[in-house]
């Protein structure tokens, strides 16, 4: 493995999770107009309360983190012209088939590498004459997920992610 | 690791493509030349699902 590729795992600090819970505890919810059908004027207060409660006390980030860490993840050093070096986070799941096809799975906007996680076991399987197998690379695009932020502005404020595959060919 | 909270500054598709190309090269996929175009294109319109 190249020195520019480093294994990594997701681990959010306890302090950040505690801060989120504290912010949820400090929430100030608005009043609600009576006699209006649900959802006619936005999300019902009851639904906000339900979601907040679930997020505050029911959602188990550590379980999600553990599940995501079942995939082999790496930071890959790249140097983007005019921007500088970045360490791009990605899942890199190789197939057991030696001559499998390399596949770059680019997530959408808004989105993350998590979109690929259900597909990866299917894509890396196969390998028969009729079913191809893939070595899958599912990165967090820069400015997304566990890849770093880009603090410069380039040509456009709007990313046209659909054009990326064209640029790669 | 960072969190998912990111400011979406301008970083266009050409730069994203350059970064992703380098990722593939550094992971050892240079023996294939450029990457085979096995992509599914999705609209980036916020209202569209893929």
């Amino acid at each position: 493995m190249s020195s520019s590729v480093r294994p990594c795992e997701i681990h959010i600090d306890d302090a950040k999770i505690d801060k989120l819970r504290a912010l949820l505890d400090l929430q100030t919810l608005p009043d609600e107009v009576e006699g209006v059908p649900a959802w006619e004027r936005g999300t019902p207060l009851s639904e906000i309360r339900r979601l907040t409660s679930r997020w505050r006390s029911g959602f188990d980030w550590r379980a999600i983190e553990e599940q995501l860490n079942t995939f082999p993840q790496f930071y890959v050093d790249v140097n983007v012209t005019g921007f500088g070096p970045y360490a791009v986070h990605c899942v890199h799941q190789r197939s057991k088939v030696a001559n499998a096809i390399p596949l770059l799975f680019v997530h959408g906007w808004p989105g993350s590498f998590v979109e690929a996680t259900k597909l990866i076991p299917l894509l890396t399987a196969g390998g028969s004459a009729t079913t191809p197998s893939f070595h899958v690379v599912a990165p967090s695009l820069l400015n997304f997920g566990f890849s770093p932020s880009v603090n410069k502005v380039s040509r456009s404020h709007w990313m046209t992610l659909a054009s990326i595959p064209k640029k790669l060919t | 690791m960072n969190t998912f909270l990111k400011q979406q500054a301008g970083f266009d598709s050409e730069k994203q493509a350059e970064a992703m190309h380098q990722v593939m090269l550094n992971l050892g996929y240079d023996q294939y030349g450029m990457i085979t175009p096995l992509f599914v294109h999705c609209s980036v319109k916020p209202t569209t699902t893929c």
Side-chain angles (χ1 to χ4, degrees), chain A residues 18-128:
Chain A
D18 291 344
K19 182 179 179 182
L20 173 62
R21 288 181 175 145
L23 289 170
L24 290 168
D25 285 339
L26 292 170
Q27 63 177 306
T28 302
L29 296 177
D31 293 332
E32 191 170 47
V33 178
E34 295 179 2
V36 176
W39 296 97
E40 188 173 292
R41 296 196 180 192
T43 307
L45 194 55
S46 59
E47 188 66 4
I48 294 293
R49 286 202 174 102
R50 186 186 70 79
L51 290 170
T52 304
S53 174
R54 161 74 180 153
W55 200 10
R56 169 65 181 84
S57 305
F59 180 73
D60 185 356
W61 166 251
R62 293 296 180 211
I64 301 293
E65 203 171 58
E66 185 177 346
Q67 194 274 329
L68 292 175
N69 283 332
T70 61
F71 294 94
Q73 296 166 82
F74 301 87
Y75 275 121
V76 181
D77 292 331
V78 302
N79 198 348
V80 182
T81 308
F83 281 81
Y86 298 103
V88 175
H89 165 261
C90 69
V91 168
H92 182 203
Q93 180 74 68
R94 286 185 63 84
S95 168
K96 291 179 180 174
V97 180
N99 63 345
I101 303 166
L103 175 69
L104 174 64
F105 184 105
V106 180
H107 64 76
W109 179 95
S112 75
F113 75 98
V114 177
E115 293 171 6
T117 53
K118 287 184 180 178
L119 288 171
I120 286 173
L122 304 174
L123 291 168
T124 54
S128 68

Side-chain angles (χ1 to χ4, degrees), chain A residues 77 79 81 92 145 147 149, chain B residues 6 8 15 18 22 26 29:
Chain A
D77 292 331
N79 198 348
T81 308
H92 182 203
S147 285
S149 299
Chain B
K6 298 289 169 63
Q8 298 301 312
K15 296 300 178 188
E18 183 181 339
Q22 283 190 42
N26 287 347
Y29 294 118

